[in-house]
Amino acid sequence: MNLKEYLSGLGKVGREVMAQRCGTSPQYLYQLSLGNRTASPRLAIEIEKASGAVVTCESLCPDVDWEYLRKNSTTAA
C-alpha cells in the first residue's frame, strides 16, 4: 500500500498521531503522499515502523538499496 492510500484510511486524528510518531507534521506526510516531497531514509524508516510495515521504505525512498540493508542487518554483529 502506498502512503496516500494509507493516510486516506486514517481520520484527522489518526494522521496527526501518525505524523507525531514519525517526527514530522501531517502536512509534510500529505506532501510526501502526493509525491511533492521525497522522504529521507530516516523518515521512510519511521513511516514504515509507524504503519506496521503497511507502507514500506522501498515505496517512500526508492533510491536506497533497502534489500541490501535488510539482508545484511540480520547478519551484522
Side-chain angles (χ1 to χ4, degrees):
M1 175 180 292
N2 67 36
L3 182 59
K4 186 175 182 179
E5 294 167 336
Y6 183 79
L7 292 176
S8 71
L10 302 177
K12 181 180 179 185
V13 173
R15 289 189 295 272
E16 290 172 358
V17 169
M18 174 76 172
Q20 185 177 33
R21 288 182 182 163
C22 296
T24 192
S25 68
Q27 295 83 4
Y28 196 77
L29 287 179
Y30 181 68
Q31 291 296 313
L32 290 172
S33 76
L34 295 177
N36 294 338
R37 300 274 189 251
T38 303
S40 67
R42 181 205 62 80
L43 183 54
I45 291 167
E46 294 304 319
I47 291 170
E48 182 170 312
K49 289 182 344 187
S51 72
V54 173
V55 180
T56 64
C57 294
E58 290 84 351
S59 69
L60 295 164
C61 193
D63 56 327
V64 173
D65 189 353
W66 295 105
E67 181 180 352
Y68 175 81
L69 293 173
R70 290 181 194 280
K71 181 176 72 171
N72 288 310
S73 70
T74 59
T75 60

